[in-house]
Amino acid sequence: METFFNPGAVAVVGASPQNLGGFVVQNLLSGFSGGIYPVNPNYTELEGIACYSFVTEIPDPVDLAVVLVPARAVPSVLEACAQKGIYRVIIESAGFSESGREGRVLQEKCTAIAKDAGIRIWGPNCMGIVDVQRHAYFTFMNPEVREELLAGRISLIVQSGMMSAIFLAELGRRGIGVAKACSIGNRADVDECDIIEYLQTDPDTDVIALYLESIPRGRRFARLAEASAKPVVLLKGGESRAGAQAAVSHTYSLSGDSRLLHSVLDFTGVIRSESVFQMMDMANALAEIPCIHPACRAAILTLSGGAGILACDALEKSGAAIAELSEQTRQAAAEVFPPWMPVFNPVDLFPAVALKGRKAAFHGAFKAVIADPDTDVLVIHFVAGLEGASPDLFALKQQAEENGKILVFWLMGRQEGSRQFREDARNAGVLVYEDVTRLAECLSAAARFSAHRHQVQDRPSAPETENSGPEVCLDSPAAEGTWDEYETKQLLGKYDIPVTAETLVQTADAAWAWAQEKGTPVVLKGLVPEKGHKTEYGLVRLSISDRPGLASAFADLSGQVGQQGRILIQKQVPVDYELIAGFMRDAQFGPCVMFGLGGILAELEPDVVFDLAPLDHDRAVQMLRSLRNRRLLQGFRGMPPLDETSAADILVRLGRLGTADSRISQIDINPLAVSAGKPVAVDANIVFSPEPGISG
Amino acid sequence: METFFNPGAVAVVGASPQNLGGFVVQNLLSGFSGGIYPVNPNYTELEGIACYSFVTEIPDPVDLAVVLVPARAVPSVLEACAQKGIYRVIIESAGFSESGREGRVLQEKCTAIAKDAGIRIWGPNCMGIVDVQRHAYFTFMNPEVREELLAGRISLIVQSGMMSAIFLAELGRRGIGVAKACSIGNRADVDECDIIEYLQTDPDTDVIALYLESIPRGRRFARLAEASAKPVVLLKGGESRAGAQAAVSHTYSLSGDSRLLHSVLDFTGVIRSESVFQMMDMANALAEIPCIHPACRAAILTLSGGAGILACDALEKSGAAIAELSEQTRQAAAEVFPPWMPVFNPVDLFPAVALKGRKAAFHGAFKAVIADPDTDVLVIHFVAGLEGASPDLFALKQQAEENGKILVFWLMGRQEGSRQFREDARNAGVLVYEDVTRLAECLSAAARFSAHRHQVQDRPSAPETENSGPEVCLDSPAAEGTWDEYETKQLLGKYDIPVTAETLVQTADAAWAWAQEKGTPVVLKGLVPEKGHKTEYGLVRLSISDRPGLASAFADLSGQVGQQGRILIQKQVPVDYELIAGFMRDAQFGPCVMFGLGGILAELEPDVVFDLAPLDHDRAVQMLRSLRNRRLLQGFRGMPPLDETSAADILVRLGRLGTADSRISQIDINPLAVSAGKPVAVDANIVFSPEPGISG
């Protein structure tokens, strides 16, 4: 990757005096210190430097080619690059897999040529590389945008070409600095994972921000993100039904299950954002706040009681805490307040200003609160043009740093004062937000990342392999189709997953004998191939306690299931509540384990989490603790708490079973009933795929 | 109210050459055409006009006094106003109920004086009135803010004084026009309800936007909002735990249950916003979009596939629909697209631009889509500075109007071009958003309001009275404390609310006789005063089907309940799922009926709705249909749908019962079990308050 970012010499294939080919040369000339070789048979000179008809004619060694010729001409350019010994090629031309069948064929042809020649391709259909720190622009981006860019510590990876230019324009407009911007397009070869890996050691990058419409190598992405010491902020397009459809057609990439994606990525510490500006603001906040106490206890200073209330609302909603000021802090602050006004957080400065004047009131309160031991962040609401002169931001920032506190401003007010304030804040390295909702979201993102880094140090990383070792022994039946409850639970039992006591019975007498031995009440189920939803087919009889009841249920079910069916008797367990657990293979993330709440309401509002399989006990415990309604498992309403070890073991074993045989495409345990804190599989099935499972 | 807004002459009590008293006079002089009379014993002239020592010295009639003297001097000013015959007074001074006990006493004194004299008070602790359309500024607001204001169609009502100035500064900065801004402060007399009522007939106002921290007259507010032909947008502060605490101290106002408030207001069509800028943007959108098809079917035009995807994500998330383009539209648009590119929504113009050039591609697609019969709104993504010249917004707007479509821009890109674009858009009356999330939220708000207006025409309005007429006959026991299940259900039965078949039994034999008559299984319950949560006390025995079982359960429970307890036998109903229903009195909204899902998961993630009691059948049906998980009631998973008429009747009767006796403070039916679609009260209790219930 290093050669893509720091080549010694660059050829521009498709250079021209104007248009995009001209922009690339102009961009290169603006700051790149290596050799620049325009290539275009129609010119002998461009922008005052020699232009060559073919790359093979360039007299000097070249490391990187930036290609802008029409798509159909790209294969021959790649062949020429191979001949010339150029092994890094950024194809910026469009007209490949994003543009119908012909384009897909063309892209495959290019990939094949590159692979044979040992060339790594970046793109096609992309805007290439913008390195603001080093003034290296390998891109057809409009040179005017370049002038508006600020150098900073955030590196961008953007799938969509046009979005890359838009992001840069918007970041420039908002005064947010950029290190590198990488537009990766169709990802014929180089993808976001390669670049994330490279940026880990890039000294110019503190935060990695991505816009992606799919994550084809989801497993690798998850592993890299989880291990990343630099925050990874992701805006994922195609989260809605219509958006996902459009994404498929936009880049011809498969999209996976977005609920699964969210859950898996949340475990990796990726900060997910939901809009372009939220992503930019979060990345900017993470660049400025490398570390914060995960509780994110905020104190608020304001001249407007209403603003203090709204700040509380926004902070609490985002998961931050409103700091309880210590007695010492309250006493210290009380010196600038009238006696009738008890000082509490949010600190409404209005009465203090009336008493002591703006300056003394603000500084008295600031000095007291910034020293508070149980406060992590100080949020100051300032109204430009309505509160007199701006405070000395350098001095405030220094005091905040001395006290180990984060300082953030919520800035409102008049146009003129705001602009100056923002500039001062940028110079002082102080974060400023117009919208307190965004402020709160950004603080909370920083706190989440800090918590993740803290936690990840004590935890094994996401699994590298998709295979858990020895193949499972599948004696019978054949590993195909969907196994019924009995067969599935036999297999689960071999993996030490607790299942209900049960057996197949041929006669009502045998059933009654079993019931007497094991104890009543029992359940009788009719198993029929292709009728998995037994309850809906009326194939389940619950709460059977006596012989006549059992006999009549047996007779009924026998009639219903017919020749092909079987009758299963099982001990009925008292159920406190129902969970679900499962295994599946995702198009992007490969084998995953699922865990969630069961029952009818959970079907309406699913509360499920996913992590990569196989997984170890600690990760399984983390899954259990990540449900939205985890309180249910913790001893809710007088019920005993869930036996966490048993439940985690089930998830670990499910992952091991599922990954032991690539023909297993899905396992569902539904319900996994909890009885006096112990989970047990009450119904389950396993699905085998005709081909080996998809993996990401 | 008219005199507050359009007085013939205004006295400024506490006028001065500078500071706030000076600002009021300057603001008045800037545009108010009536008489202006500064009052301050220290001056004989201010800003070139005569200044009086006391209001009583003013030689001419005066309609309105604006008061800025220190709080302690306000009572004597009110007395002087009474003497002079000034019956409208805006008290802008602070230092009243917001500032401790002394201030509260002072405010009560002022209210008493005003009441005796027939004076209506606006404030205290407020910024008064800003009428941008008529240049009438009865406020100490900094005159510089005045210069930045744009006249528009939105009127603001703001509880907090400082927030009022901030809102105006921010609206000015964002180019959003204002009609009137009313800062109401402590609301000693005039409140938001009075002003909403006035603004209904104000020809300058199209939209009413409010910032409130509490709604003490919630019932009246709800009634006015529901009947309002003008959209009402509300930002409610104090929604979080910490925010609510701060709100209580900020304005010393009681806050109610915010879940109840959300639910009640949603039925009234109030558009709730969650942040300052969202509120402004929503108000602005509602001013521009008086009516839109409730489905809000959006078509998207963009040069960036990625932007199209993100627009879909944002629109779908906000509840808008992504339009399916008609075959005719697709064919018409196909004329500018390459043959390999099927035209669908979002319309990615990039291939068309490559083929036909920007202008032809855009106009070809625009013309096709704007005529699409199944599209309500056209969202155009435009990147300033990267897409060449801006389109002719006047012409596009005209075409949109001719086709009955809403036109909205998602504007990104470079600073310079954006500014010009915004100005052009403002002139053309075209809505522009930087953030597509906000764009989607605003469209969705407009669609919700249109749907509400449509619906409200066929619906009886929210109830005016809190009383449903004849007092309920409470024979026994006494109307105090908490009634047990049996007594409560007897009363529910009198109101024709279905309850389980049940009776009190003295002996096991009597119980068995009852069970044989009514059928098994039965439930035995021990009723003990003060042990309402019977299940948690082990006082419920389910599924009793035989005599020995009943006998032993009876013996057990008899021992547990002791002398004071009673034993209740009831028929056990098979339960498909559980609901809850109830009645309560809210501090802001008075008597309300509650309805929601029951069961353990619903305790973790409540899904409940509230409406004002008493309520009629139609409103009750609307409650049933407003649950988040309403699918459960509609025949989910093969279960029969809920009998809507029966369920609605229960809510109507609950409301009638609760409001029939002001001593009833609460009724809980939990669970209201649903068995084969029929709801029946399985457990219930009623709570009487020592004093008549609070009402809002």
Side-chain angles (χ1 to χ4, degrees):
Chain A
M1 295 302 296
E2 183 64 26
T3 311
F4 274 117
F5 288 97
N6 289 306
V10 179
V12 183
V13 187
S16 62
Q18 63 266 317
N19 295 335
L20 304 186
F23 287 170
V24 178
V25 179
Q26 289 167 38
N27 284 332
L28 276 168
L29 285 169
S30 77
F32 179 59
S33 56
I36 304 172
Y37 301 92
V39 177
N40 187 330
N42 301 324
Y43 304 94
T44 54
E45 191 231 273
L46 277 173
E47 301 280 341
I49 51 175
C51 183
Y52 301 88
S53 296
F54 304 100
V55 282
T56 44
E57 286 179 7
I58 301 171
D60 308 308
V62 170
D63 310 300
L64 174 70
V66 176
V67 179
L68 279 107
V69 298
R72 64 184 178 284
V74 171
S76 63
V77 170
L78 284 171
E79 278 159 0
C81 286
Q83 212 180 324
K84 171 68 185 160
I86 305 176
Y87 297 110
R88 297 293 179 272
V89 178
I90 303 179
I91 305 173
E92 304 194 354
S93 327
F96 292 92
S97 71
E98 83 284 2
S99 67
R101 176 180 300 272
E102 249 175 83
R104 287 198 286 281
V105 172
L106 194 59
Q107 182 167 319
E108 277 159 27
K109 189 172 169 189
C110 291
T111 319
I113 294 170
K115 205 172 173 191
D116 283 351
I119 292 173
R120 293 217 64 183
I121 293 177
W122 179 303
N125 184 29
C126 74
M127 248 189 49
I129 299 174
V130 169
D131 186 334
V132 187
Q133 293 275 10
R134 305 184 186 197
H135 309 289
Y137 303 97
F138 312 146
T139 173
F140 63 79
M141 178 184 79
N142 187 325
E144 287 177 27
V145 172
R146 206 182 61 222
E147 286 154 29
E148 290 170 9
L149 296 176
L150 286 171
R153 315 286 311 160
I154 302 169
S155 283
L156 291 172
I157 303 173
V158 180
Q159 189 178 335
S160 164
M162 181 79 181
M163 286 305 276
S164 182
I166 296 171
F167 276 41
L168 286 173
E170 288 291 346
L171 286 164
R173 190 149 80 93
R174 310 189 126 221
I176 299 177
V178 175
K180 295 175 170 64
C182 310
S183 162
I184 52 179
N186 295 2
R187 302 178 288 192
D189 171 11
V190 168
D191 72 358
E192 59 278 11
C193 295
D194 298 316
I195 301 175
I196 290 174
E197 205 161 19
Y198 175 76
L199 293 175
Q200 289 301 318
T201 56
D202 175 32
D204 295 338
T205 299
D206 286 343
V207 175
I208 302 165
L210 302 101
Y211 171 71
L212 298 175
E213 288 158 16
S214 65
I215 312 181
R217 289 203 284 166
R219 263 182 118 74
R220 189 168 167 227
F221 183 89
R223 202 161 57 241
L224 288 167
E226 178 157 347
S228 176
K230 303 178 180 182
V232 176
V233 183
L234 172 68
L235 172 61
K236 170 74 174 52
E239 297 286 273
S240 60
R241 199 190 48 77
Q245 269 177 11
V248 169
S249 102
H250 183 218
T251 50
Y252 199 68
S253 53
L254 273 179
S255 71
D257 177 331
S258 74
R259 208 169 52 187
L260 183 146
L261 179 138
H262 293 176
S263 182
V264 168
L265 292 187
D266 286 348
F267 285 121
T268 68
V270 164
I271 303 297
R272 290 188 292 112
S273 60
E274 299 201 319
S275 73
V276 173
F277 297 128
Q278 191 196 48
M279 174 220 198
M280 293 176 180
D281 289 336
M282 282 182 170
N284 191 40
L286 284 157
E288 296 287 343
I289 309 177
C291 185
I292 186 171
H293 189 292
C296 195
R297 295 161 302 180
I300 300 148
L301 288 192
T302 175
L303 258 170
S304 154
I309 292 165
L310 290 173
C312 285
D313 289 351
L315 286 162
E316 213 174 284
K317 192 171 174 193
S318 286
I322 308 303
E324 288 254 7
L325 299 180
S326 73
E327 191 46 43
Q328 199 187 339
T329 305
R330 291 154 53 95
Q331 276 174 16
E335 285 177 21
V336 293
F337 278 89
W340 58 263
M341 169 89 179
V343 179
F344 66 93
N345 185 23
V347 183
D348 181 351
L349 289 167
F350 197 80
V353 167
L355 189 72
K356 300 275 183 179
R358 280 175 209 277
K359 208 163 170 175
F362 177 79
H363 285 284
F366 180 87
K367 211 179 136 198
V369 174
I370 203 78
D372 188 280
D374 297 326
T375 294
D376 305 309
V377 54
L378 185 50
V379 176
I380 303 179
H381 177 242
F382 185 78
V383 188
L386 296 179
E387 286 194 27
S390 299
D392 177 348
L393 295 177
F394 279 95
L396 297 183
K397 167 85 174 179
Q398 198 189 331
Q399 286 183 64
E401 280 185 350
E402 282 165 10
N403 286 278
K405 302 285 192 284
I406 307 295
L407 180 64
V408 186
F409 273 84
W410 176 17
L411 177 69
M412 301 183 98
R414 297 172 58 206
Q415 184 73 48
E416 207 39 58
S418 307
R419 206 174 298 148
Q420 186 59 47
F421 190 99
R422 291 181 164 281
E423 209 175 301
D424 294 349
R426 196 146 56 233
N427 293 331
V430 171
L431 287 168
V432 175
Y433 298 88
E434 276 188 18
D435 184 343
V436 73
T437 305
R438 183 57 48 80
L439 179 155
E441 290 166 353
C442 287
L443 282 177
S444 160
R448 282 204 306 284
F449 185 72
S450 288
H452 167 75
R453 287 307 300 164
H454 185 73
Q455 192 179 45
V456 87
Q457 283 156 11
D458 316 325
R459 197 174 68 178
S461 62
E464 193 132 4
T465 98
E466 294 186 8
N467 206 301
S468 63
E471 290 269 314
V472 59
C473 167
L474 300 172
D475 313 331
S476 78
E480 56 182 46
T482 302
W483 280 9
D484 71 17
E485 174 178 344
Y486 178 71
E487 302 296 348
T488 302
K489 280 155 92 180
Q490 290 294 107
L491 181 57
L492 295 180
K494 286 183 192 160
Y495 269 74
D496 291 328
I497 293 173
V499 299
T500 44
E502 62 191 34
T503 191
L504 294 172
V505 282
Q506 310 289 337
T507 64
D509 287 343
W512 181 241
W514 189 90
Q516 280 189 302
E517 185 196 332
K518 302 289 181 180
T520 55
V522 293
V523 182
L524 222 53
K525 293 179 176 177
L527 309 182
V528 185
E530 313 308 322
K531 287 193 179 170
H533 295 289
K534 292 182 284 285
T535 304
E536 289 180 14
Y537 286 107
L539 294 172
V540 178
R541 303 299 156 93
L542 293 166
S543 304
I544 302 172
S545 295
D546 51 22
R547 189 165 190 160
L550 184 59
S552 84
F554 190 91
D556 273 8
L557 285 180
S558 298
Q560 279 178 269
V561 302
Q563 290 292 329
Q564 299 189 319
R566 308 193 285 182
I567 309 279
L568 181 68
I569 187 168
Q570 68 192 200
K571 209 160 148 36
Q572 181 164 333
V573 292
V575 178
D576 290 341
Y577 53 90
E578 294 180 345
L579 302 172
I580 47 174
F583 169 88
M584 71 279 303
R585 294 176 189 271
D586 180 68
Q588 298 184 111
F589 290 94
C592 289
V593 166
M594 181 267 273
F595 172 73
L597 298 191
I600 200 164
L601 276 189
E603 273 184 64
L604 288 160
E605 292 194 300
D607 184 5
V608 290
V609 290
F610 301 82
D611 201 358
L612 303 183
L615 81 174
D616 65 15
H617 194 83
D618 285 354
R619 293 186 80 95
V621 168
Q622 206 192 346
M623 283 180 76
L624 303 177
R625 295 181 185 170
S626 301
L627 287 185
R628 211 168 57 231
N629 292 299
R630 51 188 166 270
R631 282 196 298 143
L632 177 63
L633 318 183
Q634 292 162 354
F636 186 68
R637 276 286 205 167
M639 294 186 295
L642 176 67
D643 179 339
E644 217 174 43
T645 303
S646 301
D649 279 346
I650 291 172
L651 301 182
V652 171
R653 288 162 186 164
L654 260 180
R656 204 182 296 150
L657 167 57
T659 52
D661 192 313
S662 60
R663 293 169 298 181
I664 295 176
S665 68
Q666 195 177 321
I667 308 171
D668 284 308
I669 302 180
N670 183 10
L672 177 70
V674 178
S675 186
K678 294 284 180 191
V680 57
V682 167
D683 196 355
N685 66 58
I686 184 165
V687 182
F688 293 88
S689 64
E691 302 149 43
I694 319 157
S695 64
Chain B
M1 295 302 297
E2 183 63 26
T3 312
F4 274 116
F5 288 96
N6 290 308
V10 178
V12 183
V13 187
S16 63
Q18 64 267 316
N19 295 335
L20 304 186
F23 286 170
V24 178
V25 180
Q26 288 167 39
N27 283 333
L28 275 168
L29 285 170
S30 77
F32 179 60
S33 54
I36 304 172
Y37 301 93
V39 177
N40 187 330
N42 301 323
Y43 303 93
T44 54
E45 190 231 275
L46 277 172
E47 302 275 344
I49 51 177
C51 184
Y52 300 88
S53 297
F54 303 99
V55 281
T56 43
E57 285 180 5
I58 301 171
D60 309 306
V62 171
D63 310 301
L64 173 69
V66 177
V67 178
L68 279 106
V69 299
R72 63 184 180 283
V74 171
S76 64
V77 170
L78 284 171
E79 278 159 0
C81 285
Q83 212 180 324
K84 171 69 186 159
I86 305 177
Y87 297 110
R88 297 291 178 272
V89 178
I90 303 180
I91 306 174
E92 304 194 355
S93 326
F96 292 90
S97 71
E98 82 285 3
S99 66
R101 175 180 301 271
E102 249 175 84
R104 286 198 287 282
V105 172
L106 194 58
Q107 182 167 321
E108 278 160 25
K109 189 173 170 189
C110 291
T111 320
I113 294 169
K115 204 170 171 190
D116 283 351
I119 293 174
R120 292 217 64 184
I121 293 178
W122 179 303
N125 184 30
C126 74
M127 247 189 50
I129 299 174
V130 169
D131 187 333
V132 186
Q133 294 275 11
R134 305 183 187 197
H135 310 288
Y137 302 98
F138 311 145
T139 174
F140 64 81
M141 178 184 79
N142 187 325
E144 288 178 26
V145 173
R146 205 182 63 221
E147 285 154 30
E148 291 169 9
L149 295 176
L150 285 170
R153 315 286 311 160
I154 302 169
S155 284
L156 291 172
I157 302 172
V158 181
Q159 189 178 337
S160 165
M162 181 79 181
M163 285 305 277
S164 181
I166 296 172
F167 276 41
L168 287 173
E170 288 290 346
L171 285 164
R173 190 149 79 92
R174 313 190 122 220
I176 299 176
V178 175
K180 295 175 169 63
C182 309
S183 163
I184 51 179
N186 295 3
R187 303 177 288 192
D189 173 11
V190 168
D191 73 358
E192 59 278 10
C193 294
D194 298 317
I195 301 174
I196 290 174
E197 206 161 17
Y198 175 75
L199 293 176
Q200 289 302 319
T201 55
D202 175 33
D204 294 338
T205 299
D206 286 344
V207 175
I208 302 164
L210 302 101
Y211 171 71
L212 297 175
E213 288 158 16
S214 65
I215 312 180
R217 290 203 283 166
R219 264 183 119 73
R220 189 169 168 225
F221 183 89
R223 203 163 54 242
L224 288 167
E226 178 157 348
S228 176
K230 302 179 180 182
V232 176
V233 183
L234 171 68
L235 173 61
K236 169 78 176 47
E239 296 286 274
S240 60
R241 198 191 46 80
Q245 269 177 11
V248 169
S249 103
H250 184 218
T251 49
Y252 199 69
S253 53
L254 273 179
S255 72
D257 178 330
S258 74
R259 205 169 55 186
L260 183 146
L261 177 138
H262 292 176
S263 183
V264 168
L265 292 187
D266 286 348
F267 285 121
T268 67
V270 164
I271 302 297
R272 291 189 292 113
S273 61
E274 299 201 318
S275 73
V276 173
F277 298 128
Q278 191 195 49
M279 172 219 197
M280 293 176 182
D281 289 335
M282 281 181 169
N284 192 40
L286 284 156
E288 294 289 342
I289 309 177
C291 183
I292 185 173
H293 188 292
C296 196
R297 296 161 300 181
I300 300 149
L301 288 193
T302 175
L303 258 171
S304 155
I309 292 165
L310 290 173
C312 286
D313 289 351
L315 287 161
E316 214 175 283
K317 193 172 172 192
S318 286
I322 308 303
E324 290 253 8
L325 300 180
S326 72
E327 191 46 42
Q328 198 186 341
T329 305
R330 291 154 54 96
Q331 276 175 16
E335 285 177 21
V336 293
F337 278 88
W340 57 262
M341 168 91 181
V343 179
F344 65 92
N345 185 23
V347 183
D348 181 351
L349 290 167
F350 197 81
V353 167
L355 189 73
K356 301 275 183 180
R358 280 176 208 278
K359 207 163 169 174
F362 177 79
H363 285 285
F366 179 87
K367 210 179 136 198
V369 174
I370 203 77
D372 188 280
D374 297 326
T375 293
D376 306 308
V377 55
L378 184 51
V379 176
I380 303 179
H381 177 242
F382 185 77
V383 188
L386 296 179
E387 286 194 26
S390 299
D392 177 347
L393 295 176
F394 279 95
L396 296 185
K397 167 84 173 180
Q398 198 190 331
Q399 285 183 63
E401 280 184 349
E402 283 165 10
N403 286 277
K405 301 286 190 284
I406 307 293
L407 179 65
V408 185
F409 273 84
W410 176 16
L411 177 69
M412 300 183 100
R414 297 172 57 207
Q415 185 72 48
E416 207 38 60
S418 307
R419 204 173 301 149
Q420 187 59 49
F421 190 99
R422 290 180 165 283
E423 208 176 302
D424 294 350
R426 197 147 53 235
N427 293 333
V430 171
L431 288 167
V432 175
Y433 298 87
E434 277 188 17
D435 184 342
V436 73
T437 305
R438 182 58 48 81
L439 179 155
E441 289 165 354
C442 288
L443 282 177
S444 161
R448 282 204 305 284
F449 184 73
S450 288
H452 166 76
R453 286 308 300 166
H454 185 74
Q455 193 179 44
V456 88
Q457 284 155 10
D458 315 327
R459 200 174 67 179
S461 62
E464 193 133 3
T465 96
E466 295 187 7
N467 205 300
S468 62
E471 290 270 315
V472 59
C473 167
L474 300 173
D475 312 332
S476 77
E480 57 184 42
T482 302
W483 281 9
D484 71 15
E485 174 177 343
Y486 177 72
E487 301 295 351
T488 302
K489 281 155 91 181
Q490 290 293 107
L491 182 56
L492 294 181
K494 285 185 193 158
Y495 270 74
D496 291 328
I497 293 173
V499 298
T500 44
E502 62 191 33
T503 191
L504 293 171
V505 282
Q506 310 288 339
T507 64
D509 287 343
W512 180 241
W514 190 90
Q516 279 189 302
E517 186 195 333
K518 302 288 180 178
T520 54
V522 294
V523 181
L524 223 52
K525 292 180 176 176
L527 309 183
V528 185
E530 312 309 321
K531 288 192 179 173
H533 295 288
K534 291 180 286 286
T535 305
E536 288 180 15
Y537 286 106
L539 294 172
V540 178
R541 305 298 156 94
L542 295 166
S543 304
I544 303 172
S545 295
D546 52 22
R547 188 163 192 162
L550 184 60
S552 85
F554 190 91
D556 274 9
L557 285 179
S558 297
Q560 279 177 268
V561 302
Q563 290 290 331
Q564 299 189 318
R566 309 193 284 181
I567 309 279
L568 180 68
I569 187 169
Q570 69 192 200
K571 208 159 151 32
Q572 182 165 333
V573 291
V575 178
D576 291 340
Y577 52 91
E578 293 180 347
L579 302 171
I580 48 175
F583 169 88
M584 71 278 304
R585 294 177 189 271
D586 180 68
Q588 299 183 110
F589 291 94
C592 288
V593 167
M594 181 266 274
F595 172 73
L597 298 191
I600 201 166
L601 276 188
E603 272 184 63
L604 288 160
E605 293 193 299
D607 184 4
V608 291
V609 291
F610 301 82
D611 202 359
L612 305 182
L615 80 175
D616 65 16
H617 194 84
D618 285 353
R619 293 186 81 95
V621 168
Q622 206 192 345
M623 284 181 76
L624 303 177
R625 294 179 185 173
S626 301
L627 288 185
R628 213 168 55 231
N629 293 298
R630 51 189 165 269
R631 281 196 299 144
L632 178 63
L633 317 183
Q634 291 161 355
F636 186 67
R637 278 286 206 168
M639 294 185 298
L642 175 68
D643 179 340
E644 216 174 45
T645 303
S646 301
D649 279 346
I650 290 173
L651 301 183
V652 171
R653 288 162 186 164
L654 259 180
R656 204 182 297 150
L657 167 56
T659 52
D661 191 315
S662 61
R663 294 169 297 180
I664 296 176
S665 68
Q666 195 177 322
I667 307 171
D668 285 307
I669 302 180
N670 183 10
L672 178 69
V674 178
S675 186
K678 293 283 180 192
V680 56
V682 166
D683 197 355
N685 66 58
I686 184 165
V687 182
F688 293 88
S689 64
E691 302 148 44
I694 320 159
S695 65

